[in-house]
C-alpha cells in the first residue's frame, strides 16, 4: 500500500529537561549576582569530603569513609546552591514593580492573592496587594514614602466592609518596621489561623465587590521561575 505523502509529519517530541540541566541553569543564574558561588560550593564539597578522609584515617577505613562522605558532600553543595539561587532570584526582582506579589505567589497553599494591586499611587508607583487566608486579610505594600498612607487607606476601606475580619498590614523594604522581600512569604505563612475555610470563602466573595486598582502587574518577576527545582536537583 502506497504511503500517503499528504499526511502531516509527526509532531516533534518535547525534549525532557534533565536534573543536571536545572542545576547548571541555577548555577549560572546565581553566579551573575553572586560571583563567589563557585568557590563557596567547592569549599563546601571539599570540606565535607576532607572530614570524611580524616575520620577514615583515624579509624583506618579511608575508602569506606570517602564513599560515605561523597553523597553528603554533594547533597550539602546542592542544598547550598538552592538557597543561594533563591536569594539571587529575589535580589534580581527586588525594587521592581510587582516584586511583592511575585514573592507572595511562592506561597502555594492556604492563601489567595489577587493578580493586580488593590491600590496604587500612579505617580510614585507605590502599590498595595491583598491576600485572603485563614489568618484573615493581609495587605502588603511596596514602594516609597506614600505607601504607608496608601496601606492605611486600604485598611480602613477593607475594615468598613468586613469589620470583624482580622487585617494584617505589612510593608516590604529594608527600613525599620519593614519586611525584606525574601522574608515576606515566611512572614505571611507564620500568621496564625483565625477563620474557618467557609469564612475564608465568604470573605473572598465580599472582597470581590471592592475591586482593585485595575493595573496589571508586570510579568516575568516570579522568583519561582528562576528558582531551581530542588527535587530535580536531587535527581528525583
Amino acid at each position: 500500500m502506497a504511503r500517503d505523502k499528504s499526511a502531516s509529519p509527526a509532531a516533534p517530541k518535547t525534549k525532557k529537561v534533565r536534573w543536571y540541566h536545572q542545576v547548571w541553569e541555577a548555577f549560572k543564574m546565581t553566579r551573575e549576582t553572586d560571583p563567589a558561588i563557585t568557590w563557596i560550593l567547592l569549599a563546601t564539597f571539599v570540606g565535607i569530603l576532607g572530614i570524611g578522609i580524616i575520620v577514615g584515617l583515624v579509624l583506618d577505613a579511608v575508602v569506606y569513609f570517602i564513599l560515605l562522605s561523597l553523597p553528603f558532600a554533594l547533597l550539602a553543595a546542592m542544598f547550598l546552591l538552592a538557597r543561594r539561587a533563591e536569594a539571587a532570584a529575589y535580589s534580581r526582582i527586588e525594587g521592581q514593580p510587582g516584586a511583592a506579589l511575585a514573592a507572595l505567589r511562592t506561597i502555594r497553599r492556604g492563601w489567595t492573592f489577587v493578580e493586580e494591586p488593590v491600590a496604587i499611587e500612579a505617580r510614585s508607583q507605590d502599590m498595595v496587594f491583598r491576600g485572603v487566608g485563614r489568618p484573615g486579610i493581609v495587605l502588603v505594600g511596596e514602594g516609597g514614602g506614600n505607601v504607608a498612607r496608601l496601606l492605611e487607606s486600604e485598611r480602613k476601606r477593607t475594615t468598613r466592609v468586613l469589620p470583624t475580619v482580622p487585617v494584617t498590614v505589612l510593608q516590604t523594604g529594608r527600613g525599620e518596621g519593614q519586611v525584606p522581600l525574601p522574608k515576606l512569604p515566611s512572614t505571611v505563612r507564620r500568621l496564625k489561623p483565625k477563620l474557618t475555610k467557609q469564612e475564608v470563602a465568604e470573605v473572598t466573595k465580599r472582597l470581590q465587590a471592592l475591586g482593585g486598582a485595575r493595573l496589571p502587574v508586570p510579568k516575568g518577576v516570579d522568583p519561582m521561575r528562576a528558582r531551581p527545582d530542588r527535587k530535580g536537583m536531587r535527581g528525583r
Side-chain angles (χ1 to χ4, degrees), residues 22 34 39 55 58 71 74 87 92 99 106-107 124 178-179 183 187 190 214-215 220-221 226:
Q22 294 177 334
D34 189 2
W39 301 110
V55 174
V58 173
L74 183 61
R92 293 176 70 175
T106 65
I107 305 175
S124 63
Q178 297 179 331
V179 181
K183 295 183 178 181
T187 300
R190 286 197 298 265
R214 296 299 172 189
L215 179 69
V221 294

Side-chain angles (χ1 to χ4, degrees), residues 41-118:
L41 294 178
L42 283 174
T44 301
F45 183 85
V46 174
I48 295 177
L49 188 60
I51 293 174
I53 294 174
I54 293 173
V55 174
L57 289 172
V58 173
L59 300 179
D60 195 21
V62 177
V63 176
Y64 172 77
F65 277 94
I66 288 178
L67 295 176
L68 183 64
S69 60
L70 270 174
F72 285 101
L74 183 61
L75 183 63
M78 293 299 98
F79 175 78
L80 183 60
L81 175 59
R83 296 297 297 270
R84 303 288 285 228
E86 183 177 352
Y90 278 116
S91 68
R92 293 176 70 175
I93 68 171
E94 194 164 6
Q96 295 186 31
L101 180 59
L104 293 169
R105 282 178 180 152
T106 65
I107 305 175
R108 297 305 184 188
R109 298 178 59 185
W111 285 91
T112 301
F113 295 93
V114 292
E115 295 298 315
E116 54 190 21
V118 294

